[in-house]
Amino acid sequence: MKQLMIVIGCMVSIVLMSQSTPSSKASAMRGKKIYTTYCLACHQADGGGVPRMNPPLIKTEYVNGDKVRLINIVLKGLNDPIEINGDEYSNPMASHAFLNDQQVADVLSFVRSNFGNKSGPITPAEVKAVRAKK
Amino acid sequence: MQKILCSFLALSLLVCCSAQSPESVAIKTPAGFSTVVVGKDFGRVRHIAINSNGDIYMKLEKLLKGKGIIRLRDKNKDGVMDDTLAFGNYIGSGIALKNGYLYASSNSEVFRYALDAQQNLVSPDQPERIVTKLIDKRQHANKTFALDNAGNIYVNIGAPSNVCQELDRQKGSKGMSPCSILDSAAGIWQFKVDKLNQTYADGIRYATGIRNSMGLDWNDEVNELYITIHGRDMLFQDFPAMYNQKQGAELPSETLYRVKKGDDCGWPYAHWDHFQNKKILNPEYGGDGKKEGAPNAISPLVGFPGHLAPNALLIYTGDQFPARYKNGAFIAFHGSWNRSPEPQEGFYIVFVPMKNGLPTGKWEVFADGFSGLEKVNNLGAVKHRPCGLAQGADGSLYVSDDNKGYIWKIKYNQ
């Protein structure tokens, strides 16, 4: 029994350690708040979106792939035809350039590490670089 | 012995559960009505039409094996649809039958297909194109329609916009005044059913100020057009100082209108508020939640709770249902998304009792249970979303679902 407890204890600490660093954890916490305020209405609480209207954020290339493209969607919005898993999405997304670099980094880090996504965080510096390019 | 009993129990459980389709849901209707599934797994089935011989036509919003229209037929007349014909290489939502023709729309055109005396399509691959070059900007692009008894077709051209802001769906962006979208969209256009290749120049803007009317039907009793409109989104998210979370979920009303030629329904300047029973000026145009707007616009017959998405309208003309249903309106609510984080609502068929073209009582939920959930928090978990309605020659009511491609037939058992 004691051995089992030790094994479980080890497993828990490995899982905890494999989670991100304290600072990125704080970032994701702030990101959740930004998500709730600006993103949840369309992309829904589970990140599943609305069929054929607002795209899902779950395990798609748009979220987990090219960071520059993802940052640009938040900064510039999106009104191009997009297809995810064979479905098209019709509602345009507004620009969220009013969020500062830290806020964009926070919300994208939150999205990339939730809803079944396991991608790494995005830093304010990365957002700043994309914003500077216009 | 215990082991044997256990295996027996497990086996019988398996048998009992596998007898039911995993996707099937129980549809609740008033006493005396029964519901059966008559078709399933056709994907994004939007509007439907039933021919006099019982054929079911479905318009698909996503091609199925390259085809956008499917006809189901009960060839051997045993009550089961055993024959499938697929044709049309375009997606869309509108479909209807009238006087020997099948009408169907893409998101920019309307076609019609002649039927012969045996109710077979004369040339399913060569329809007549009656309307063309309508705008398709993806948002609210479905060209749903209704037909009158005088050779006209009424086509919904939805606004490619939420509320005609300078920057669509951008928090803080002002409403355009005048709204330039109204010239070519946000209204119902009237065309002739028998003239080929009509464009905007050949049609008449029959009614305006209509954000997106997915449900249209001609009311034969009063000989006028009836429509349901999807109201605007984002009152709470964009104006939290004026609308709290609950108000943003309940407002603006989804609406049922009777529209005459020349009518204006108020979009984008105002929305209907069924609590105040007023046309309220939209905040993008200087509204504060109380100021009235669009003084020249007509008022709806009914205001429903916000965001439920009235995707189909059917004025019931059959004799099968009890007399109180005759000339009343059935509305298929697709179900909301803009009520988050409140639970989503809708996913049911509503009935509005009417006489002489006017409601005679409060609206009621007629058929419910399509979502398969007690409470909808995530749209991904919803099983079915009602999208189309049609009346069979025997007076049965058909309902389509664009999530899993089901069709139900609702009958009244005398």
Side-chain angles (χ1 to χ4, degrees):
Chain A
M1 190 60 199
K2 204 175 171 186
Q3 273 175 334
L4 183 70
M5 290 298 280
I6 291 168
V7 171
I8 290 176
C10 283
M11 281 168 71
V12 168
S13 29
I14 287 168
V15 169
L16 283 176
M17 276 159 64
S18 69
Q19 296 272 327
S20 13
T21 58
S23 75
S24 73
K25 205 173 173 188
S27 160
M29 289 284 282
R30 293 192 302 269
K32 184 177 183 173
K33 216 173 160 192
I34 294 165
Y35 183 84
T36 304
T37 308
Y38 299 109
C39 317
L40 185 146
C42 296
H43 292 290
Q44 304 290 302
D46 67 345
V50 179
R52 283 156 294 138
M53 294 185 94
N54 308 323
L57 305 174
I58 300 172
K59 295 182 180 171
T60 85
E61 262 302 294
Y62 283 92
V63 169
N64 298 291
D66 182 1
K67 288 185 183 180
V68 172
R69 177 171 73 175
L70 180 61
I71 293 166
N72 264 323
I73 290 174
V74 173
L75 294 180
K76 295 178 180 169
L78 183 71
N79 196 12
D80 300 322
I82 76 164
E83 193 184 305
I84 296 171
N85 299 328
D87 281 323
E88 290 177 11
Y89 293 84
S90 60
N91 271 3
M93 173 169 152
S95 156
H96 285 63
F98 57 86
L99 297 172
N100 64 34
D101 294 342
Q102 182 71 53
Q103 289 173 313
V104 174
D106 288 346
V107 74
L108 288 179
S109 298
F110 169 75
V111 168
R112 282 163 62 90
S113 59
N114 279 277
F115 315 135
N117 299 321
K118 292 189 172 63
S119 298
I122 283 179
T123 65
E126 286 172 305
V127 179
K128 190 178 180 184
V130 174
R131 201 192 295 260
K133 273 187 196 159
K134 284 280 167 184
Chain B
M1 184 58 202
Q2 215 178 3
K3 256 188 182 169
I4 298 174
L5 195 69
C6 270
S7 338
F8 175 75
L9 274 174
L11 192 71
S12 50
L13 205 67
L14 205 70
V15 169
C16 122
C17 294
S18 61
Q20 267 209 336
S21 154
E23 291 139 343
S24 70
V25 294
I27 305 300
K28 295 180 277 281
T29 45
F33 290 90
S34 63
T35 308
V36 289
V37 174
V38 293
K40 62 178 195 173
D41 303 331
F42 291 101
R44 311 286 194 208
V45 182
R46 301 288 281 178
H47 284 178
I48 49 173
I50 314 296
N51 203 357
S52 53
N53 64 348
D55 286 353
I56 300 173
Y57 288 94
M58 305 176 239
K59 188 74 202 76
L60 307 186
E61 210 187 22
K62 186 176 179 181
L63 298 183
L64 199 65
K65 292 177 188 161
K67 304 295 182 190
I69 306 175
I70 289 177
R71 185 195 70 191
L72 297 182
R73 176 173 278 185
D74 175 11
K75 245 181 174 170
N76 60 8
K77 299 287 166 206
D78 65 348
V80 178
M81 294 292 168
D82 48 32
D83 180 65
T84 305
L85 175 73
F87 58 101
N89 60 358
Y90 52 94
I91 62 162
S93 284
I95 198 156
L97 288 150
K98 189 96 190 180
N99 298 336
Y101 283 92
L102 172 74
Y103 295 81
S105 65
S106 71
N107 288 340
S108 59
E109 300 185 304
V110 185
F111 302 91
R112 72 172 188 172
Y113 302 76
L115 295 160
D116 65 19
Q118 285 72 47
Q119 302 307 316
N120 289 315
L121 293 153
V122 176
S123 47
D125 296 323
Q126 288 166 308
E128 297 174 37
R129 183 168 57 204
I130 58 171
V131 183
T132 187
K133 294 180 184 165
L134 303 179
I135 65 155
D136 171 7
K137 293 186 179 171
R138 300 189 299 118
Q139 189 180 180
H140 305 147
N142 288 168
K143 302 300 179 286
T144 43
F145 60 84
L147 299 144
D148 69 9
N149 298 307
N152 299 303
I153 182 167
Y154 300 84
V155 182
N156 161 53
I157 305 180
S161 167
N162 180 29
V163 60
C164 207
Q165 290 163 280
E166 287 164 3
L167 290 168
D168 186 25
R169 294 180 187 268
Q170 184 77 58
K171 186 173 179 168
S173 174
K174 278 188 180 157
M176 284 193 270
S177 198
C179 172
S180 57
I181 289 173
L182 294 163
D183 296 342
S184 60
I188 308 289
W189 266 254
Q190 184 195 51
F191 297 97
K192 296 285 172 205
V193 294
D194 56 359
K195 209 175 141 193
L196 298 179
N197 297 312
Q198 298 165 90
T199 62
Y200 281 104
D202 303 292
I204 293 167
R205 191 177 71 174
Y206 189 78
T208 189
I210 296 164
R211 183 173 174 272
N212 187 28
S213 165
M214 285 294 298
L216 307 90
D217 200 8
W218 191 257
N219 187 333
D220 289 335
E221 191 190 18
V222 294
N223 212 31
E224 265 168 24
L225 182 66
Y226 282 63
I227 62 170
T228 57
I229 303 180
H230 284 223
R232 57 157 303 166
D233 306 322
M234 309 305 259
L235 279 174
F236 159 61
Q237 288 82 6
D238 288 357
F239 302 96
M242 292 176 211
Y243 297 89
N244 66 31
Q245 189 174 300
K246 277 232 154 34
Q247 290 170 320
E250 292 297 324
L251 290 169
S253 321
E254 302 290 56
T255 45
L256 169 66
Y257 279 88
R258 169 185 191 161
V259 286
K260 297 178 184 179
K261 190 173 178 178
D263 276 346
D264 177 356
C265 296
W267 186 92
Y269 310 109
H271 65 258
W272 186 251
D273 178 325
H274 57 287
F275 298 106
Q276 303 184 65
N277 263 322
K278 284 176 183 168
K279 291 168 288 180
I280 300 299
L281 189 65
N282 272 319
E284 290 83 353
Y285 289 89
D288 60 0
K290 292 187 182 71
K291 270 188 231 166
E292 293 182 57
N296 299 322
I298 60 167
S299 295
L301 297 178
V302 185
F304 302 93
H307 314 294
L308 305 194
N311 266 19
L313 168 67
L314 183 137
I315 312 285
Y316 187 75
T317 58
D319 294 317
Q320 184 193 114
F321 288 9
R324 70 180 290 263
Y325 291 97
K326 194 150 188 171
N327 300 314
F330 286 101
I331 298 168
F333 283 102
H334 197 220
S336 65
W337 62 267
N338 196 211
R339 292 171 80 95
S340 288
E342 302 290 320
Q344 305 302 341
E345 264 295 321
F347 314 98
Y348 43 56
I349 310 301
V350 152
F351 178 71
V352 181
M354 297 205 300
K355 203 176 177 189
N356 299 320
L358 295 171
T360 56
K362 202 187 170 327
W363 62 274
E364 62 205 37
V365 173
F366 173 77
D368 199 1
F370 295 93
S371 73
L373 302 167
E374 280 299 312
K375 201 186 217 182
V376 177
N377 287 315
N378 294 314
L379 284 159
V382 168
K383 288 204 167 130
H384 306 286
R385 301 186 76 182
C387 191
L389 292 170
Q391 188 182 309
D394 67 351
S396 296
L397 181 69
Y398 290 75
V399 180
S400 65
D401 146 48
D402 69 349
N403 198 36
K404 290 193 159 60
Y406 272 53
I407 296 191
W408 295 266
K409 182 180 183 177
I410 303 177
K411 284 205 317 194
Y412 185 70
N413 311 308
Q414 285 91 339

